[in-house]
Amino acid sequence: MFNVYFGTYIVLYAHDILLLAPSVTVLQRLLQACEEKLNLIDMVINIKKSSCMCIGSRHDKMCAKITMCNGGELPWVDEIRYLGVVIIRGAKFKCSIDKAKRSFYRAENCIFAKIGKLASEEVMVQLLQQKMFAYFTVCSRCMQLGQKINAVTGLYI
């Protein structure tokens, strides 16, 4: 996580980038700065996989459009998925782990359906522990993002 301008952050993991800014104007500047740096290494931001969201007291207000260098506009959305965590627009930072929970139970049911009667108890416990680890990893990411984001009151992502 990098603090670029006052009150702004860039959270990087592999090819996923999360830009955090205290205002729409600063978010626009931050996006332009990122695009300039990415252009230097012949990379571009995929507009189809990019969006904006507001967290804070003005979350329900209409926001100015965020424009990319190529003229494309990023849509404002109600939820964003980052590293398996679904961040929800609202007055305060919120995450949804519903998708992770559904995925966990779907995988658990699949395991029981395929090998439930054939596998030993140790094998079943091992498989469930691996799935539970994945589920709790998503929960942990949600809490880590929340700790970083809660320090900023009004936030544009």
Side-chain angles (χ1 to χ4, degrees):
M1 185 152 112
F2 303 100
N3 187 345
V4 182
Y5 301 115
F6 177 75
T8 65
Y9 293 93
I10 299 175
V11 183
L12 302 167
Y13 184 82
H15 64 278
D16 291 329
I17 302 172
L18 184 66
L19 304 177
L20 308 174
S23 72
V24 176
T25 305
V26 176
L27 181 62
Q28 179 69 57
R29 279 194 230 137
L30 194 56
L31 177 65
Q32 288 173 343
C34 285
E35 283 187 293
E36 289 171 10
K37 295 298 181 187
L38 289 170
N39 284 336
L40 294 175
I41 56 173
D42 293 327
M43 293 181 74
V44 294
I45 295 173
N46 185 345
I47 195 166
K48 293 177 184 172
K49 294 183 177 182
S50 303
S51 57
C52 302
M53 184 176 66
C54 177
I55 297 174
S57 60
R58 299 181 49 84
H59 75 278
D60 55 349
K61 306 288 188 250
M62 185 72 134
C63 294
K65 296 182 191 261
I66 300 292
T67 309
M68 296 181 60
C69 291
N70 64 6
E73 294 177 352
L74 297 180
W76 288 90
V77 297
D78 293 332
E79 65 181 38
I80 290 176
R81 186 177 173 113
Y82 183 72
L83 300 179
V85 175
V86 178
I87 304 168
I88 301 170
R89 178 178 66 105
K92 295 190 179 207
F93 176 79
K94 287 191 287 192
C95 284
S96 171
I97 57 170
D98 291 342
K99 289 181 183 178
K101 198 185 320 181
R102 275 194 305 272
S103 176
F104 169 75
Y105 284 117
R106 189 177 312 119
E108 179 188 44
N109 288 335
C110 183
I111 289 169
F112 283 131
K114 299 272 187 201
I115 60 171
K117 296 179 180 173
L118 303 174
S120 67
E121 188 176 323
E122 293 88 25
V123 170
M124 293 301 291
V125 168
Q126 179 77 22
L127 290 171
L128 286 174
Q129 283 177 339
Q130 289 174 352
K131 278 309 195 184
M132 287 177 68
F133 177 76
Y135 173 71
F136 288 119
T137 300
V138 170
C139 296
S140 173
R141 287 182 191 151
C142 183
M143 289 189 295
Q144 289 170 352
L145 276 172
Q147 289 171 343
K148 293 173 184 175
I149 291 174
N150 275 338
V152 183
T153 52
L155 189 63
Y156 296 85
I157 300 176

